Amino acid sequence: MNGNAVASTASILEQLSKIPIGTIIAIFATASVICVGCWKIISQMIKLYDMYTNIRDDRDHTKQQVDDNSSAISELREQFSEVISDIKGQLSIIIDAQNEHRETKITELRHAITVAGENALANGEMTVREYTSLHEMVDKYLHVYHQNWYVESLITKVDRDVRVIGQLDEHGNDID
């Protein structure tokens, strides 16, 4: 077997020696160009793969940031909703308290007008300061609180039936 292998090798070398050297150089040059071309293609493929993995990693990182930001925005939205709900509740309490205070103020003002007017009608007279104060309360009652009830008719009776004692100048000072 060894003899056949040596004979084969000898015949291969004999065949190769018949090939012109220029052809062998051309074959080696072509093989080298092919190898260099393959190397360039492979290195470009490696660069493209690296670029792809970088882009994929950047995309994944960006997607994670978007997801994180979306979660943070949702949490903030919930917190703002809770705060707004709390503020609405507090405003509702304040509005209710203001309405209650307004109703109390209207009741107190109507009572003060009624007492002053009835006292003036019972006495038949009142001072100019009492008269001015009564009309200021009535004006507020009618125009600020937009109330009436029996106040307007009461004041009409007071203006008609009660004598006003004293006089005031334009600055609110007594005139003797």
Side-chain angles (χ1 to χ4, degrees), residues 88-103:
K88 284 180 178 178
Q90 291 172 0
L91 285 175
S92 178
I93 291 169
I94 291 170
I95 288 170
D96 289 346
Q98 284 179 332
N99 287 339
E100 187 176 317
H101 177 72
R102 182 180 189 275
E103 292 301 318

Side-chain angles (χ1 to χ4, degrees), residues 1-14:
M1 260 198 174
N2 243 352
N4 282 342
V6 172
S8 264
T9 306
S11 73
I12 291 174
L13 287 175
E14 196 175 295

Side-chain angles (χ1 to χ4, degrees), residues 21 27-28 39 66 77 91 93 95 127 141 143 148 163 172:
I21 191 80
I27 289 173
F28 278 124
W39 173 250
V66 167
R77 187 176 292 136
L91 285 175
I93 291 169
I95 288 170
T127 67
Y141 186 77
H143 299 101
N148 188 356
R163 183 173 69 91

Side-chain angles (χ1 to χ4, degrees), residues 137-175:
M137 287 190 295
V138 168
D139 187 51
K140 188 171 192 176
Y141 186 77
L142 294 175
H143 299 101
V144 173
Y145 292 115
H146 307 289
Q147 301 294 309
N148 188 356
W149 287 42
Y150 53 83
V151 169
E152 200 166 12
S153 62
L154 177 65
I155 291 305
T156 302
K157 285 182 188 177
V158 168
D159 288 343
R160 184 186 64 220
D161 298 339
V162 174
R163 183 173 69 91
V164 178
I165 301 169
Q167 290 183 349
L168 297 175
D169 64 14
E170 67 272 4
H171 303 292
N173 299 319
D174 289 319
I175 299 175

Side-chain angles (χ1 to χ4, degrees), residues 15-28:
Q15 291 295 326
L16 287 176
S17 66
K18 292 182 183 176
I19 299 174
I21 191 80
T23 303
I24 292 175
I25 292 173
I27 289 173
F28 278 124

